[in-house]
Amino acid sequence: MTDSAIPFILPGPPPQRDTAAGWQSWRTSRDIFKPAPRLDRAAWRALSARRRTLHDLHRAATHANLPLLDTPMSRAVAKLLNGRIESNALKHKPTTRAGVMITGGGYQGKTESTCEVAAAFEDRWLALHHNLNPDALLGTRDLHAPVAYVQTPVTAKPKSTCKAILSFYGAETTNMDLPDLVRQVAASLHDHGTKALLLDDITRLRMHRADDQDTLDLIRAFMSMNVTLVLVGVDIPASGLLREGRHDPRTGQVVMPPSRHANIHGLEATQTERRFDLVELDRFRYDTDDQIAAWIDHLAGVENELRLMNAPEGMLTAGTMPEYLYQRTDGVVGLLERLMEDGCRDAIETGKERLTEQLLENITIDLAGAPGRDPGAGEVPPVPPRHDTSRRRRNTVFDDRGPAATKDVG
């Protein structure tokens, strides 16, 4: 190991994606982290004391930055979201673009999956246009931002939501009333060539509050600005956001009524319904053989990313470990990631260099005070207990049921 690994171990504070500069920093650096090399104990002991320390620190960084692995659920979300953003970006007709709502529980990877799809689209879009805004006026040099990522304010109002969007671009908002703010949002989206507007934590809106109803109404009006509106939130169907919508059986989309703000602020000349594709990024399930096999396949992928020097093959997938890990995490990928990170740190510090049920029983998953999350909006999921035998079941996915299981015996 060389000292050049140190920048990857200590990369500095993570970029804040809710500004244009922060989003670009994250997008262009999201794949640069290199995990620690795989060393056995003999190779590790052959290092100098300093390099052993650096290697262990690099391993800790590796476990703290586990990659976002594809799951059957995330692949379905990515397919729909990528198709919708790309198709809308290629439209030339002045019609309202259909949006996407991504729902699911807390810590299930909704934000990361959404941002990864949007970043990959931006990579392709910028390459297609040689990093230039194809819609820019001749002689102008506005920042080209094909994707804008915004977190919904905890106490969202129409003005604060507009200001959050404008803050992404660094636009001026001082002494502006709501009509001016809305016009500035429309101008910023157009001038910066934004094709997708991501509004995260949308279920912070409480539909029993008049301000929040006005905010959602205004957000729907943004769809007339020729962008793909992507709303991400916890359990959107139960949040009240869809109470004015209806399901269109022909398209499978949720159809929302036109926005009152469209007439008030002149965003469009006609009353147009807003259509959303609603897709769920669900947790893993453990009820059928196919679901169990998908969970085990995911655990195999996670195991491949770990850097423990005494880890046997099948450390996470053999015996009762899959059932145990499911019981500890309820199939939520974010909870599994936290358990792996803390468990690997303990395995390294104790010298055991492997994960066992006994070791993991000493690990508490504590999400209290999680930064940037609103527990009242369901962004922090309940953590299953460490030992709950009532949920345990024997793994039957690889059982040989024999011919009697599939044929009638007469």
Side-chain angles (χ1 to χ4, degrees):
M1 176 181 295
T2 66
D3 291 349
S4 63
I6 295 176
F8 297 104
I9 301 172
L10 302 172
Q16 299 298 312
R17 290 182 292 209
D18 56 357
T19 67
W23 172 267
Q24 295 303 328
S25 176
W26 170 78
R27 180 183 63 83
T28 56
S29 66
R30 70 189 192 277
D31 296 325
I32 67 171
F33 179 82
K34 302 300 181 184
R38 301 179 188 274
L39 298 181
D40 57 24
R41 285 188 183 273
W44 180 80
R45 290 192 183 102
L47 298 174
S48 67
R50 181 175 185 274
R51 292 193 175 185
R52 284 200 297 269
T53 299
L54 286 177
H55 179 69
D56 289 346
L57 192 57
H58 198 170
R59 289 198 292 158
T62 299
H63 300 144
N65 294 279
L66 294 175
L68 182 67
L69 300 178
D70 285 343
T71 68
M73 299 78 73
S74 69
R75 284 192 290 271
V77 170
K79 180 180 179 180
L80 186 148
L81 180 59
N82 179 68
R84 180 63 63 216
I85 293 176
E86 194 168 81
S87 294
N88 284 348
L90 296 171
K91 288 183 183 294
H92 293 286
K93 297 182 294 184
T95 55
T96 299
R97 274 60 169 161
V100 180
M101 291 185 178
I102 299 176
T103 185
Y107 277 76
Q108 288 176 195
K110 299 182 301 300
T111 295
E112 294 307 316
S113 296
T114 301
C115 286
E116 178 57 38
V117 171
F121 160 76
E122 183 166 330
D123 291 340
R124 298 191 303 272
W125 190 257
L126 290 174
L128 178 65
H129 297 288
H130 307 289
N131 292 310
L132 299 176
N133 183 357
D135 300 320
L137 295 176
L138 185 64
T140 61
R141 297 184 63 185
D142 284 317
L143 170 73
H144 190 194
V147 174
Y149 171 83
V150 179
Q151 281 195 309
T152 305
V154 174
T155 304
K157 296 181 180 180
K159 289 183 70 173
S160 65
T161 302
C162 286
K163 289 182 178 181
I165 296 171
L166 294 173
S167 177
F168 177 85
Y169 301 104
E172 181 61 47
T173 61
T174 305
N175 298 325
M176 298 178 70
D177 58 16
L178 181 57
D180 288 338
L181 288 168
V182 173
R183 283 191 287 270
Q184 183 63 47
V185 168
S188 293
L189 291 171
H190 177 269
D191 293 346
H192 297 290
T194 301
K195 300 301 180 182
L197 174 60
L198 279 50
L199 290 178
D200 201 359
D201 302 321
I202 192 65
T203 42
R204 290 177 177 178
L205 297 178
R206 309 289 197 272
M207 289 300 100
H208 64 278
R209 298 189 302 221
D211 282 336
D212 293 45
Q213 294 175 31
D214 286 343
T215 301
L216 179 61
D217 190 53
L218 177 63
I219 288 171
R220 293 205 303 266
F222 292 157
M223 297 175 73
S224 64
M225 299 179 184
N226 296 333
V227 299
T228 300
L229 184 61
V230 182
L231 307 181
V232 183
V234 174
D235 197 3
I236 288 177
S239 68
L241 295 178
L242 305 179
R243 70 181 185 183
E244 297 180 350
R246 61 178 175 83
H247 180 260
D248 186 341
R250 295 179 300 104
T251 63
Q253 294 176 323
V254 176
V255 183
M256 306 291 285
S259 163
R260 296 185 300 273
H261 287 275
N263 287 337
I264 294 172
H265 301 308
L267 298 182
E268 63 178 12
T270 60
Q271 291 282 307
T272 305
E273 291 179 329
R274 270 74 172 135
R275 293 178 176 269
F276 286 92
D277 292 296
L278 177 65
V279 60
E280 181 176 10
L281 184 55
D282 198 5
R283 61 184 176 88
F284 280 93
R285 303 288 176 170
Y286 207 80
D287 300 318
T288 69
D289 286 351
D290 286 344
Q291 291 171 341
I292 294 173
W295 173 246
I296 292 176
D297 184 61
H298 183 70
L299 293 179
V302 172
E303 181 180 320
N304 186 60
E305 301 298 331
L306 305 183
R307 298 296 188 265
L308 298 176
M309 294 185 289
N310 192 34
E313 185 177 354
M315 178 178 65
L316 302 183
T317 60
T320 59
M321 183 62 92
E323 301 104 293
Y324 173 78
L325 292 174
Y326 190 85
Q327 180 266 317
R328 287 297 308 274
T329 65
D330 207 24
V332 176
V333 294
L335 298 185
L336 177 66
E337 182 179 292
R338 177 67 66 86
L339 186 62
M340 293 296 99
E341 178 183 346
D342 293 349
C344 287
R345 174 173 289 277
D346 194 58
I348 293 173
E349 290 178 350
T350 60
K352 295 179 180 178
E353 293 287 344
R354 63 183 297 178
L355 298 179
T356 64
E357 293 184 33
Q358 183 179 10
L359 181 145
L360 293 174
E361 274 296 297
N362 295 319
I363 304 297
T364 300
I365 304 175
D366 184 5
L367 304 181
R373 292 181 181 266
D374 180 10
E379 295 167 18
V380 180
V383 179
R386 280 183 288 182
H387 189 66
D388 183 7
T389 56
S390 65
R391 296 178 64 88
R392 300 285 293 278
R393 57 171 290 189
R394 188 172 65 84
N395 179 10
T396 63
V397 70
F398 297 120
D399 284 2
D400 181 3
R401 293 172 174 77
T406 57
K407 296 182 178 179
D408 292 332
V409 179

